[in-house]
Amino acid sequence: QSVLTQPPSASGTPGQRVTISCSGSSSNIGSNYVYWYQLLPGTAPKLLISRNNQRPSGVPDRFSGSKSVTSASLAISGLRSEDEADYYCAAWDDSLSRPVFGGGTKLTVL
Amino acid sequence: QVQLHQWGAGLLKPSETLSLTCAVYGGSFSDYYWSWIRQPPGKGLEWIGEIDHFGSTNYNPSLKSRVTMSVDTSKNQLSLKLSSLTAADTAVYYCARVDSDGYNRPYFDYWGPGTLVTVSS
């Protein structure tokens, strides 16, 4: 049971905009930054979004993050086939004193 | 460019000890903490713990009794040992570099490719 809650799956067609939600609580998302990671099979996970909405160097501006109170979202616009991957949200949890993750969302590009 | 390479035994029996090593290339080894994170099949990511170049550690309380992390600063390597394995420890294990936000909270900016460890008799 993951501390942060994500939908298990999401899908979209090429060119579409999709959003992935991440729900937490006051002890994690409510009081700390949210991070998003992209996991592709056989490759090193990639930091996509830092500090709620900052894109690390090299991440396309098609990816954007937002946060509101105890929830966060990852938006992917202009969907491409190479975006098909698992996406995880993460945040520090003040009560648990450790980083916590969502259960992951598998994005399918139809 | 920071790169993390990792290796270790992929098939272990219950009660055995998992042993993984992660080598860091590029960037500073001593300026960061380094973490291990795992992903059981079909489940989410779980933070195992972290270590700095002095060997100072922080472990997930749920695994603390079975986890040992160490570093070899001469080789820019970190290692993970997890004892008394059960099938529930079957997972892809990742090493990752720990950076921190302005409030000293950690996040993971570079990751290794992962090592699948299967625990089965």
Side-chain angles (χ1 to χ4, degrees), chain A residues 2 32-33 35 37 39 42-45 47 50-51 88 92 94 98-99 101-103, chain B residues 37 39 43-47 60 94 100-103 105-109 111-113:
Chain A
S2 299
N32 294 291
Y33 289 123
Y35 300 84
Y37 300 94
L39 272 68
T43 66
L47 175 65
S50 177
R51 303 184 189 191
Y88 286 83
W92 177 263
D94 292 332
R98 60 176 173 87
F101 295 91
Chain B
I37 297 160
Q39 182 185 23
K43 296 186 178 181
L45 296 167
E46 179 181 31
W47 179 75
N60 188 326
Y94 298 98
S100 63
D101 62 20
Y103 303 95
R105 305 302 196 205
Y107 67 96
F108 313 103
D109 58 352
W111 296 60

Side-chain angles (χ1 to χ4, degrees), chain B residues 12-16 38 40-41 43 66 84-91 93 117-121:
Chain B
L12 295 166
K13 291 180 168 53
S15 81
E16 291 186 335
R38 70 180 183 178
K43 296 186 178 181
R66 300 193 290 129
S84 304
L85 293 173
T86 70
D89 294 311
T90 294
Y93 286 76
V117 176
T118 302
V119 181
S120 174
S121 55

